[in-house]
Amino acid sequence: MGDSEEPEPTASTPLNGSPSRHNGVDMGAMFRSEEMALCQLFIQPEAAYPSVAELGEAGCVQFRDLNVNVNAFQRKFVNEVRRCDELERKLRYIEAELNKDGVNIPDLKEDLPRAPNPREIIDLEAHLEKTESEILELSHNAVNLKSNYLELTELKHVLEKTHVFLAEQEGTNGSDSLTRALIPEESAGNTTMRGRLGFVAGVVPRERVPAFERMLWRISRGNVFLRQAELEDPLEDPATGNEIFKTVFVAFFQGEQLKSRVKKVCTGFHASLYPCPTTHMERQDMLKGVRTRLEDLNMVLNQTHDHRQRVLVGVAKELLNWIVMVRKMKAIYHTLNMFNMDVTKKCLIGECWVPVGDLVLVRQALDDGGKACGSSIPSFLNVIQTSEMPPTFNRTNKFTKGFQALIDAYGVSSYREVNPALYTTVTFPFLFAIMFGDAGHGLIVTLSALYMVLWEQKLSKQKSKSEIWNIFFGGRYIILLMGVFSIYTGIVYNDFFSKSFNIFGSKWHNNYDEGTLQNNSLFMLDPNSTAYDGEPYPLGVDPVWQLATANKIVFLNTYKMKLSIIFGVVHMIFGVCMSLVNHIHFKHYEHIFLEFIPQLLFLVLLFGYMVALMFIKWIQYGPTNELATSPTCAPNVLITFINMMLNNHATVPAGCSEYMFTGQDIVQIIFLVIALLCIPVLLLGKPLYVIICGRRHRKHAAAGNGDVNQGLELQPEIVDTFTASTPEKQEHEEEDLVELFILQAIHTIEYVLSTVSHTASYLRLWALSLAHAQLSDVLWTMVLRMGLTMESYVGGVMLFIMFGCWASLTIAILVLMEGLSAFLHTLRLHWVEFMSKFHMATGYMFQPFSFKIILEEETEEE
């Protein structure tokens, strides 16, 4: 599976997403995690930056931090990291300005820019500094101009609204003394009124008007007369660009003391006060001048905006390239902070985990990094031996990535153990389809997944913020297989939107006259008569069962329940057999005899035997047979299994046999005894083996030469005396043995009990399949048939409405809700019932230093 010729690797070949050495779906690479090697890198300081940059592009190295006890602010490249942080701050500011102005930022092309070399970093810093300063100056000028424009606009509205207020007072001839007192007098001073009344005019935020009015009334005890008018058009906030609604007001008062109070209230409510002449001519002249200044200022604002747009559009073309370059640069310096300097301060030393198959790729990246900086001393890689458990790395592509994610969600596989994801690609959609089995609903799921698969490149470029959509899109290949398998099981069940297809013609036929059928509403056809041809339906369930209202559910119950038990037991046996592969690979041969064989025998001799009885019953008993092998005398498999466990005997009718074959009682006793004998082997075998092997190991160690004792040849008696004189060591060994016995007891009890509970757990395949079929039938009967039973045009309209309701409920309930339920149950069957037989899940994920992964994670966070 992996022995074919491999293309020459390059330093830019990605590791994650698509395999670096395999372009297709290599299932052999998924059988177990890849072999890893712990390596030491020796790099010259001048070649460190380009070399790490090449490794980041390759994405096949996981660095170890050699400075765990060193503070982040005391590391060698902390200043360079701070420079990168400052560049990121500038880029965030530029991006915020682009988004504020609605400038479109073009997407990146396929080829991302590489990390800048140290010489380019200085030019990039200078360019970003200049760009930020220019945008800051433009923004500051724009804010100042907009502030002036806002003030002039508010002054214009104040002059217009105040003119209306004062014109109303001048044109009033009523007898109200207050109104007559408020008529302005043509005299010097813009706030002087007849009877020493004055006024102030301005604008106040609309939401503050009620409180503003109450405060004026309280400070003056009702001696301030307030006139106000709302501005219909919103104004623009110069700083934020948000719309603000304001109200023009004129407050009339008497006396300087009250004037001072009114102005303080205006200041407290952020009201802007503007000068307002008392005469009509002066107001008109001021208004004319304000309008002229507004026109000039508006022209300047437009020119400033156009210039700002040209600057921002030019920056937008390079923004994403700058962001990628700075993020790569920052990642490089963070990685270099994990390196150590040698004693001579002339070489950087780093440690990393590397897949053995990518060692050539890493060496090539180091060579390219040295050539990029012109270093005369090459960097080299040294593979070192270690007892530390390496990380787990399963090379995936876009098809297998979703299935691997399902496994890793439960727990990362231990290093080099069998990877369940390989078998999950088939077993997961198949078990799902058993519960979801409807060809019509499976067709909907298949078409939905096919849309995401065929247009995956276009859809992947659309950065959706919907978490549900991202989950569905990430598992599009899983959904596609689930839909295809559901179509297959729907054909086997002969179920298409709760209806059956009669493609090959039913093997049942009616041999009764019309009168007999009319007098028997629940009439059953006898398979022992001429009503049955004796030949099975070519594919799936005979469609005549759709009409069997009396015993349809009974037949499907028995059929699907036995299928679920059969598939469950086979699935668990397969899981136990996978543990054999792990034992052989890790050379734990004693586990084969002390764990694998007893577990397999216990499962096969009890529940495998029950499955065999189901097949024997299907083959041996038929409606046309004699009495002893007729369905009437067929033993109940479940009762037979229970009697086997309890050593009981069942009561059978005359002429029938309790057993299905001769000698079955002897076979059952033998199977039960062997299965029970497997329990003490599982319970005591491994601990006793450890005790025996431990003693042998100590004796073997005692017979050797003790070089640490200056060449003295120690005798076994001397060594035994020495070890026995260490009470702490002896106590520790006893504690380990007690712990081993306890753990093995827990493991044995869990396995023995789980064989029963896990087998029963697979009955969910039957339960959900039956529930799905019945719910689909209810939707058809209660909803769609309402439109089919009506006549004339009313029936057509009703059918149109009912079809819409039926289609909506089908997608919402049967496809989405039932599909999610079946998905979760299938996930549980794999995590608990299947993987617990061989999957330890004690590893940790291989997380390579990859620019592609880093950029994707930061994009998702944004």
Side-chain angles (χ1 to χ4, degrees), residues 69 143 260 275 300 337 389 488 718 728 741 769 850:
N69 299 324
V143 170
S260 176
V300 175
N337 278 330
M389 188 175 74
Y488 167 74
I718 300 175
E728 295 180 357
F741 272 103
S769 173
S850 171

Side-chain angles (χ1 to χ4, degrees), residues 731-777:
E731 183 180 355
H732 180 67
E733 290 180 354
E734 292 178 357
E735 291 179 357
D736 289 343
L737 289 177
V738 171
E739 184 180 356
L740 180 60
F741 272 103
I742 293 174
L743 290 177
Q744 192 63 25
I746 294 174
H747 178 71
T748 303
I749 295 172
E750 181 184 5
Y751 179 80
V752 172
L753 295 181
S754 68
T755 53
V756 180
S757 62
H758 290 181
T759 304
S761 182
Y762 278 94
L763 290 174
R764 69 187 69 232
L765 298 174
W766 153 59
L768 266 74
S769 173
L770 187 65
H772 186 86
Q774 291 303 308
L775 189 57
S776 179
D777 188 51

Side-chain angles (χ1 to χ4, degrees), residues 79-96:
N79 293 328
E80 285 78 3
V81 174
R82 288 175 177 173
R83 288 170 61 189
C84 295
D85 289 336
E86 179 63 18
L87 292 177
E88 283 190 329
R89 183 198 63 78
K90 294 177 180 179
L91 289 172
R92 285 195 298 268
Y93 168 75
I94 295 173
E95 186 177 9

Side-chain angles (χ1 to χ4, degrees), residues 102-141:
V103 179
N104 181 40
I105 302 176
D107 294 332
L108 284 173
K109 299 179 181 179
E110 294 293 335
D111 298 330
L112 297 178
R114 299 180 68 84
N117 57 50
R119 300 186 188 93
E120 294 175 345
I121 294 175
I122 301 175
D123 298 336
L124 181 61
E125 283 182 322
H127 191 60
L128 288 178
E129 180 71 27
K130 179 183 177 182
T131 303
E132 184 193 27
S133 300
E134 186 175 4
I135 295 176
L136 276 171
E137 184 178 357
L138 288 173
S139 300
H140 183 67
N141 294 337

